[in-house]
């Protein structure tokens, strides 16, 4: 069995790129953004994009729920870093969608974290 992981995506792999500014409160006692903050960034970018595409998501006939998440941390980020979160679709099913996401420092091409 191979432990080799595929190379992380680059900024160019994402059709949607959203700016995110870190906050002082994002840092934890170790001096970097706490793990849970990445999930808040992911959620904000996905729902912000959905809202811009379809309007008020609470008025849709069906509401989405998150049934699985993951995040692989590749490099630390911290306040006051300016970030970009990349958003794309990993899988589009008949009743579900899996988003792929990545956190990039402001001008970096390599991600600091990748998630879904």
């Amino acid at each position: 069995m191979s432990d080799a992981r595929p190379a992380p995506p680059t900024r160019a792999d994402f059709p949607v790129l959203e700016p995110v500014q870190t906050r002082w409160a994002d840092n934890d006692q170790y001096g970097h953004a706490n793990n849970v903050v990445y999930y808040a960034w992911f959620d904000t970018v996905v729902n912000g994009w959905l809202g811009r595409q379809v309007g008020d998501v609470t008025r849709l006939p069906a509401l989405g729920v998150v049934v699985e998440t993951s995040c692989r941390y590749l490099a630390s980020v911290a306040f006051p870093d300016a970030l970009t979160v990349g958003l794309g679709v990993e899988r589009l099913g008949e009743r579900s969608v899996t988003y792929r996401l990545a956190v990039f420092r402001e001008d970096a091409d390599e991600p600091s974290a990748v998630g879904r």
Side-chain angles (χ1 to χ4, degrees), residues 12 19 21 26 29 33 60 83 85 87 90 95 101 103 111 114:
Q21 179 59 55
D26 295 337
Q29 68 186 22
L60 294 174
L83 307 173
V85 175
L87 170 65
E90 180 178 304
R95 296 173 43 135
L101 299 118
V103 175
V114 292

Side-chain angles (χ1 to χ4, degrees), residues 4-73:
R5 293 182 187 222
T10 65
R11 186 181 288 267
D13 294 320
F14 293 91
V16 176
L17 295 164
E18 293 289 329
V20 173
Q21 179 59 55
T22 55
R23 305 166 306 156
W24 174 252
D26 295 337
N27 286 4
D28 62 18
Q29 68 186 22
Y30 302 108
H32 56 75
N34 188 272
N35 294 4
V36 72
V37 174
Y38 291 78
Y39 289 100
W41 294 332
F42 291 166
D43 196 44
T44 298
V45 169
V46 168
N47 284 291
W49 178 82
L50 282 172
R52 288 189 302 280
Q53 300 307 306
V54 302
D56 184 354
V57 296
T58 64
R59 295 181 178 268
L60 294 174
L63 294 178
V65 296
V66 175
V67 297
E68 180 182 353
T69 62
S70 70
C71 185
R72 184 164 49 116
Y73 306 95

Side-chain angles (χ1 to χ4, degrees), residues 61-116:
L63 294 178
V65 296
V66 175
V67 297
E68 180 182 353
T69 62
S70 70
C71 185
R72 184 164 49 116
Y73 306 95
L74 305 170
S76 293
V77 299
F79 176 81
D81 290 338
L83 307 173
T84 300
V85 175
L87 170 65
V89 173
E90 180 178 304
R91 189 187 72 75
L92 183 60
E94 291 185 30
R95 296 173 43 135
S96 65
V97 60
T98 303
Y99 296 103
R100 59 187 172 89
L101 299 118
V103 175
F104 299 92
R105 281 203 169 87
E106 188 173 27
D107 294 320
D109 194 44
E110 295 295 318
S112 295
V114 292
R116 49 182 261 158

